[in-house]
C-alpha cells in the first residue's frame, strides 16, 4: 500500500523532469497515463489483501494478488520488443523485482500455510 503511491509519484517525476527510473517517460508522456492507472489499481489490490487477511478464507486473497501481479508481467512478455526499444527500458528490472517478488511472497505464504484457517487452531 505504501509502494504504489511512491512509484506513481516516481512516474510523474520521470515524466516532468526526465530523471530516475522513469526518466524515459519524458520522451513519451502519454505512457504515464497507463502507469497512473495501473499503480493505484495495484494499491487497491493491496488494500483488498490487507482487509481480506481477516477473512475466513484468506487463501483466495493470495490467489488474487498472484493474478494481479501476473497481468503486468504478461504485458511485459507480450510487448518485450517495443518496451526494450523504448526509453522506459531502464525501469523494467524494477518491474520484474516488484511483480516477481510479489508472486514469490504470495507463493511462499500459500506454501507455508498462512493462507489457511483452522477453526480454533493457531498456526
Amino acid at each position: 500500500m505504501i509502494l504504489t503511491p511512491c512509484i506513481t509519484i516516481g512516474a510523474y517525476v520521470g515524466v516532468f523532469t526526465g530523471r530516475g527510473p522513469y526518466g524515459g517517460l519524458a520522451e513519451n508522456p502519454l505512457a504515464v497515463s497507463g502507469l497512473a492507472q495501473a499503480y493505484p489499481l495495484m494499491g487497491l489490490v493491496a488494500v483488498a489483501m490487507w482487509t481480506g487477511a481477516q477473512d475466513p478464507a484468506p487463501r483466495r486473497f493470495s490467489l488474487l494478488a498472484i493474478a494481479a501481479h501476473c497481468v503486468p508481467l504478461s504485458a511485459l512478455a507480450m510487448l518485450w520488443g517495443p518496451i526494450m526499444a523504448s526509453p522506459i527500458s531502464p525501469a523494467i528490472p524494477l518491474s520484474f523485482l516488484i511483480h516477481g517478488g510479489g508472486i514469490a511472497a504470495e507463493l511462499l505464504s500459500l506454501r507455508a500455510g498462512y493462507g489457511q484457517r483452522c477453526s480454533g487452531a493457531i498456526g
Side-chain angles (χ1 to χ4, degrees):
M1 290 184 297
I2 295 169
L3 181 62
T4 55
C6 292
I7 57 179
T8 302
I9 290 168
Y12 281 114
V13 167
V15 79
F16 291 118
T17 68
R19 296 179 183 222
Y22 296 103
L25 290 173
E27 295 176 32
N28 185 6
L30 290 179
V32 82
S33 66
L35 298 177
Q37 296 171 56
Y39 293 152
L41 283 173
M42 286 300 288
L44 289 175
V45 170
V47 170
M49 296 288 304
W50 184 52
T51 59
Q54 300 304 315
D55 191 82
R59 185 179 199 108
R60 65 179 150 197
F61 290 93
S62 290
L63 297 174
L64 168 69
I66 291 169
H69 283 293
C70 285
V71 171
L73 287 180
S74 65
L76 285 175
M78 288 186 292
L79 300 168
W80 184 257
I83 290 171
M84 294 314 289
S86 76
I88 191 102
S89 63
I92 299 307
L94 179 62
S95 186
F96 277 111
L97 178 68
I98 291 168
H99 297 296
I103 291 170
E106 292 303 327
L107 289 173
L108 286 172
S109 173
L110 289 172
R111 179 76 174 119
Y114 294 113
Q116 300 172 359
R117 294 271 173 146
C118 300
S119 58
I122 298 177

